[in-house]
Amino acid sequence: CKTGASGRMPDDYDVPAFHPYASEDPSISWNFWVEHYADPAQQARDPKRRPRGVLYPRAATLGGCTAHNAMILIYPDDQDWTATVFREALERGRDQELEFRARAADGREVWLNSKVYITLDASGRPKKLRGLMTDNTERRIITDTQFRQARQAALAAAVAVTLNEGGTLRGILQR
């Protein structure tokens, strides 16, 4: 494993908020491209296949895949934008906070809030990263439930007003 001048692992490994970068960090990743089938026609139907083959990412670290697979915990549709937000925050030297979905070790969907605080050196480049990650699942469930209840109440109110004004249920559904 290649490490920085300090002999430490890259920030992608040390800072949970930067885990979306872990599988892409060239200092700790090996990417193997393979073919699942000898028959080219069958291989072409493989949904995992890309132009170079099927990607099997591996870790070039003492901890192996525990270091490399941090990104897998983040839901696929949240991976791109979280990685972009954190990369831009680091490039601009700005603190960042965001919430995203992840998969807990027991398989549950959880909502995490990640805060990253960036200390800059004299030239304005990131020198130190401090982070805090909290599980906001319970708050998110309550908020989502309240939102659904408010939306249902608004719909019920609209139905009541329409019916009171002489409208019909069929008219409401055709809107």
Side-chain angles (χ1 to χ4, degrees), residues 73-85:
L73 295 175
I74 299 175
Y75 272 71
D77 52 335
D78 287 351
Q79 287 176 358
D80 290 342
W81 71 266
T82 55
T84 299
V85 167

Side-chain angles (χ1 to χ4, degrees), residues 21 27 58 73 89 112 160 165 170:
Y21 302 129
S27 70
R58 295 294 179 256
L73 295 175
L112 300 175
E165 293 175 350
R170 176 172 286 170

Side-chain angles (χ1 to χ4, degrees), residues 8 58 86 112 144:
R8 294 181 42 85
R58 295 294 179 256
F86 282 124
L112 300 175
D144 289 351

Side-chain angles (χ1 to χ4, degrees), residues 124-169:
R125 293 186 314 217
K127 172 180 141 184
K128 181 179 178 182
L129 303 172
R130 292 177 296 122
L132 174 67
M133 191 172 290
T134 56
D135 182 342
N136 287 349
T137 306
E138 188 173 327
R139 182 201 52 80
R140 184 69 185 231
I141 290 169
I142 291 168
T143 301
D144 289 351
T145 300
Q146 290 171 337
F147 176 76
R148 277 194 303 280
Q149 289 171 343
R151 191 173 54 195
Q152 289 169 349
L155 178 60
V159 168
V161 166
T162 302
L163 293 175
N164 283 339
E165 293 175 350
T168 65
L169 189 54

Side-chain angles (χ1 to χ4, degrees), residues 109-136:
E109 176 182 282
V110 294
W111 284 90
L112 300 175
N113 179 276
S114 181
K115 297 177 185 179
V116 177
Y117 304 97
I118 301 173
T119 303
L120 304 176
D121 65 14
S123 66
R125 293 186 314 217
K127 172 180 141 184
K128 181 179 178 182
L129 303 172
R130 292 177 296 122
L132 174 67
M133 191 172 290
T134 56
D135 182 342
N136 287 349

Side-chain angles (χ1 to χ4, degrees), residues 18-24 66-76 78-80 82-83:
F18 290 124
H19 283 175
Y21 302 129
S23 68
E24 307 302 320
T66 59
H68 195 241
N69 289 341
M71 187 173 178
I72 293 172
L73 295 175
I74 299 175
Y75 272 71
D78 287 351
Q79 287 176 358
D80 290 342
T82 55

